[in-house]
Amino acid sequence: MTWKYRRTRPMEPQSSLPDNELLVMDTSIIINLNATGCVKRILEALPHRVAVLDVVVGELEYGRSKGRNDATMLADLAKAGLVTIASLDDAALLQFESLVVGASGDTLDDGEAATIAYAVSTNSCALIDERKAKRICATRFPQMHLGCTLDIMSHQAVQLALGQPGLADALHSALVSARMRVPPHYMDWLVNLIGYERAAACSCLPETVRQAARSA
């Protein structure tokens, strides 16, 4: 299907994050939020508790060798009390093992698996951007709440905290620096918010979107 640019209200909140529920963030979510340049303000605005698994911390630590500062940023957030570093208990470990052992088409990397296993065991909301992980969750855990980076960024509290220009800049930075994934149902909202000139230049967006933005 060809994507067509539609002008919508850029400040209209579209987040589907459940109220009063723990948010468990995967590695890609942390990287995206760090790339916004205002992760502390974002987490301070969110009316949710946030947890990150120690397995995810290990993945971010590995990024130090590639010059990434995500592990340092996360450590600062934990020190400030904005993020809790969690570990899997015995029951969650069984779920974790079931998600990492098997055929490659039905298994996940350690960070995704740990995030999902912890969210299942604590009845929390798992925040994951990867399509494969979402597909597996929908099949195996249909009752579990799932979210993504854009659910955080479009939350009304975050929009109010950053303001429209600040939110647009933060989203653009995440697209450019972290190649943030944009689900189709957020595409119109994002393009209208960051502006079609910037959208047209974002190489991580689908070419059909970039072409439509150029002609808008």
Side-chain angles (χ1 to χ4, degrees):
M1 179 184 298
T2 300
W3 182 85
K4 295 182 179 180
Y5 180 87
R6 295 184 292 270
R7 296 185 183 278
T8 60
R9 294 170 56 195
M11 286 298 287
E12 182 180 355
Q14 300 184 27
S15 175
S16 60
L17 292 182
D19 294 333
N20 303 317
E21 194 162 304
L22 176 67
L23 305 179
V24 189
M25 295 187 178
D26 180 36
T27 307
S28 62
I29 306 293
I30 297 297
I31 291 172
N32 288 339
L33 292 182
N34 189 28
T36 66
C38 52
V39 58
K40 188 171 185 291
R41 291 174 61 195
I42 291 169
L43 294 188
E44 287 174 340
L46 277 178
H48 298 81
R49 294 176 296 122
V50 175
V52 174
L53 273 298
D54 51 6
V55 176
V56 170
V57 174
E59 290 185 344
L60 295 174
E61 287 287 348
Y62 178 75
R64 288 184 189 274
S65 62
K66 300 180 180 180
R68 300 195 62 92
N69 71 338
D70 303 295
T72 299
M73 178 276 299
L74 180 59
D76 291 341
L77 293 176
K79 186 178 298 185
L82 294 172
V83 172
T84 298
I85 307 301
S87 301
L88 299 176
D89 61 16
D90 290 342
L93 277 172
L94 291 176
Q95 290 282 15
F96 171 80
E97 291 173 1
S98 74
L99 290 165
V100 297
V101 177
S104 60
D106 297 315
T107 56
L108 301 172
D109 66 31
D110 287 356
E112 293 169 341
T115 298
I116 293 168
Y118 187 82
V120 170
S121 68
T122 57
N123 194 28
S124 305
C125 177
L127 298 184
I128 296 173
D129 279 344
E130 285 72 17
R131 287 190 292 262
K132 179 182 175 183
K134 290 183 177 181
R135 172 182 60 79
I136 291 175
C137 280
T139 301
R140 296 189 53 178
F141 313 110
Q143 303 304 315
M144 188 179 73
H145 285 135
L146 279 177
C148 64
T149 303
L150 268 297
D151 285 320
I152 298 172
M153 300 303 294
S154 65
H155 193 284
Q156 188 173 25
V158 174
Q159 294 195 55
L160 290 173
L162 300 184
Q164 183 172 341
L167 179 61
D169 289 344
L171 289 168
H172 182 247
S173 293
L175 290 168
V176 172
S177 300
R179 300 185 64 82
M180 176 180 65
R181 185 182 299 278
V182 182
H185 63 282
Y186 273 119
M187 197 65 73
D188 288 329
W189 178 81
L190 179 134
V191 171
N192 278 281
L193 188 57
I194 69 172
Y196 56 83
E197 290 185 6
R198 289 199 288 192
C202 284
S203 61
C204 65
L205 295 178
E207 181 59 27
T208 53
V209 173
R210 297 168 62 196
Q211 288 179 351
R214 292 187 194 104
S215 60

